[in-house]
Amino acid sequence: MDTQLTTEIARRRTFAIISHPDAGKTTLTEKLLLYANMIRTAGMVRGRKAAKTVSSDWMQIEQERGISITASAMQFNYHDCVINVLDTPGHQDFSEDTYRTLTAADSAVMVIDAAKGVEAQTRKLFSICRLRGIPIMTFINKLDLPSQDFFDLLAELEDVLGIKTSPLNWPVGSGKDFIGVVDRQTQQVLLFEKAGVGGSQKALVENVPLAELLQHNRIPERIREQLLYELELLDHAGNPFSLESFLAGEVTPVFFGSALTNFGVETFFDNFCRLAPAPGNKVAYDSSNEEVQIDAIADPFSAYVFKIQANMDPKHRDSMAFMRICSGLFERDLTVKHHRSGKEVRLSRSHAMFGGDRNTVDLAYAGDIVGVINPGFFAIGDTVSMGGGFNYKSIPKFPPEIVAGIRPLDVLNRKSFDKGLQQLSDEGTVLVLNSLRSGSNENLVAAVGKLQFDVLQFRLESEYRVRTKLEVLPYRYGAWLVGDAQNFKPTSSSMLAQDASGRVILLYTQEWERKYVLEQNPGFQLLDFQY
Ligand code: G4P
């Protein structure tokens, strides 16, 4: 076996950071860049606040898009590891985009605000990781501020998320008194000294054996007593940690720190590299729908498209397809088999991202993300591979929860409007439908949240120069119709529509209507969107 290939794949860590807004995801990501020596000082954090306060709603959307455009995935080295951090959109509206991104991760880092505990968005994102069986590491953040009782926090994680916690380190003091963390395995204490203002520089750390710290009255008696009590309690009542249970998603190793002051951040990253999995086997399906295991190292190049983004470069109006490489080695301009069409395709102009820069990729390995130019050919979920003959597990669609009618304000813009709608629906943020109501040729859009509509209108205007009128309709549910739509009679508060591939969907307003409408139309079936 090619030893270079084996080494390269084994040192890759591809992950996403999940958290509720404001828990500190951006700050932690920035500190990862600081400790990876990718930036010399961490200063963007303060700049962001200024940007936040002056920005209008539109600008905020653009900023959010900005993040996902520039940093679909960032790659850099951290010690011996190659880190691929996937960007999960930070907005409140949980979307399919986030879900799709998580399918490309081998592990996740969950950031929890120590004062707030488990919040709504964390819960949703966590459940997705759970569903995918992704191992999760937990970073309890903002220890420099007053926080909840640490045992209460662990209990909340266990109760609300249903995962066992196993603290691998434990804080010495908290809030103003947060001065270090104990590594429970090595029984060494990392004592922190103040870092540069706002944590712009790496923290200075002193490594002291726990026994020595406790003997030499180096810390106030109150903190010492508390620490001794807590460590003893943990030894008796805490969950044991094993790599197997972490990789199986049964236990989450917990670390404490403050992303802002850098306390506990470096040891967290070191442990992340040590514990988080490298790319491994992935399940795929062959032509007869039988399950096959694709091995990251032993199998030749294969990948799937998890994200499509149009108009990344306003000068070229191109669309990029982002692929997660699942096995083998990618070389520039590689010709591969595209499973859905059965055709051969050349993966041209491949890129990886750091910050706002696109870099041409000559070589990439399993675990990496590459963006290739998409001449309208790739769809989300498409599999490409050297030998062909198999497809990766499809990426599920979310049921729409909001539907709207949309039209261009100026009918002369119809052509650009249609093109824009088509390209943006290829990205998968909205589902574009045509009403099947007699006499109506209204365009409908369906999405998981209102934010997707705001983004859609904003992008139609900024990228396609089409101003639109959008009216939210009362439908909150959608299900695919099986049977001849011509003979189906919707109720007065439901309607039929068709997607681009001709599939018919029933849109309805109340959950109970589904049963009722089927009673009125015997012989028909309604299929759920798959989660
Ligand atoms: P997010 O990406 O998860 O939404 O969170 P982000 O990193 O933007 O952090 C949200 C706020 O919390 C920021 O403050 C950030 O500075 C602060 N923060 C993050 N980690 C810590 C920490 O460990 N301790 C403390 N005390 N604060 C932390 P902000 O006032 O909203 O913005 P800014 O002026 O700092 O940019």
Side-chain angles (χ1 to χ4, degrees), residues 183-231:
D183 184 319
R184 293 185 56 220
Q185 205 179 7
T186 61
Q187 296 284 298
Q188 291 282 317
V189 186
L190 294 175
L191 282 181
F192 308 124
E193 291 173 28
K194 277 269 168 283
V197 184
S200 61
Q201 311 281 331
K202 294 179 187 176
L204 294 175
V205 175
E206 190 189 350
N207 210 325
V208 187
L210 177 63
E212 193 183 310
L213 185 84
L214 296 174
Q215 274 165 15
H216 287 87
N217 291 341
R218 284 190 56 172
I219 51 175
E221 185 60 17
R222 181 176 43 87
I223 299 179
R224 182 177 170 273
E225 292 287 306
Q226 172 94 5
L227 180 64
L228 274 172
Y229 167 74
E230 289 175 343
L231 288 177

Side-chain angles (χ1 to χ4, degrees), residues 10 23 51 56 61 92 97 103 200 276 296 351 407 468 480 484:
S56 69
I61 289 170
Q92 296 261 0
D97 204 22
T103 67
S200 61
H351 294 101
R407 61 182 167 81
T468 51
W480 300 113
D484 182 3

Side-chain angles (χ1 to χ4, degrees), residues 1 11 25 32 71 135-136 152 165 171 174 186 191 223 249 263 338 372 389 391 397 417 459 492 524 528:
M1 195 167 291
R11 71 193 189 107
K25 182 177 88 166
L32 181 53
I136 298 165
D152 288 350
T165 58
S174 70
T186 61
L191 282 181
I223 299 179
F263 290 0
H338 177 251
V372 298
N391 222 5
K397 289 250 174 250
F417 171 78
R459 292 188 58 191
S492 59
F524 282 88
D528 274 332

Side-chain angles (χ1 to χ4, degrees), residues 36-213:
N37 298 319
M38 293 305 293
I39 51 176
R40 266 188 297 142
T41 52
M44 282 138 61
V45 180
R46 234 158 302 118
R48 268 205 334 271
K49 189 166 196 173
K52 264 186 209 165
T53 46
V54 296
S55 56
S56 69
D57 284 351
W58 290 134
M59 283 177 69
Q60 263 176 21
I61 289 170
E62 196 168 33
Q63 271 176 7
E64 274 157 7
R65 269 200 63 224
I67 292 167
S68 69
I69 289 171
T70 52
S72 199
M74 279 191 297
Q75 186 179 70
F76 49 88
N77 293 327
Y78 182 83
H79 300 314
D80 291 337
C81 285
V82 176
I83 302 280
N84 291 306
V85 196
L86 296 158
D87 179 56
T88 47
H91 50 68
Q92 296 261 0
D93 255 0
F94 177 68
S95 68
E96 277 183 71
D97 204 22
T98 314
Y99 184 97
R100 289 192 292 255
T101 301
L102 285 173
T103 67
D106 292 323
S107 62
V109 164
M110 175 164 71
V111 183
I112 301 277
D113 181 328
K116 297 194 175 139
V118 178
E119 297 173 88
Q121 188 83 343
T122 320
R123 236 189 345 248
K124 281 188 193 167
L125 292 164
F126 175 88
S127 63
I128 302 297
C129 294
R130 234 357 189 359
L131 223 64
R132 313 266 327 169
I134 302 176
I136 298 165
M137 290 190 50
T138 301
F139 184 75
I140 299 197
N141 190 29
K142 305 199 185 183
L143 267 267
D144 58 304
L145 296 176
S147 50
Q148 290 183 30
D149 176 86
F150 301 133
F151 286 97
D152 288 350
L153 271 173
L154 296 181
E156 189 186 357
L157 281 169
E158 301 209 347
D159 291 349
V160 178
L161 302 179
I163 191 166
K164 285 189 179 147
T165 58
S166 181
L168 293 198
N169 68 20
W170 194 258
V172 183
S174 70
K176 284 196 307 309
D177 296 330
F178 178 45
I179 49 172
V181 289
V182 181
D183 184 319
R184 293 185 56 220
Q185 205 179 7
T186 61
Q187 296 284 298
Q188 291 282 317
V189 186
L190 294 175
L191 282 181
F192 308 124
E193 291 173 28
K194 277 269 168 283
V197 184
S200 61
Q201 311 281 331
K202 294 179 187 176
L204 294 175
V205 175
E206 190 189 350
N207 210 325
V208 187
L210 177 63
E212 193 183 310
L213 185 84

Side-chain angles (χ1 to χ4, degrees), residues 294-311:
I294 307 295
D295 186 290
I297 296 173
D299 282 306
F301 171 82
S302 69
Y304 71 91
V305 178
F306 71 96
K307 177 175 174 136
I308 287 183
Q309 177 99 47
N311 304 324

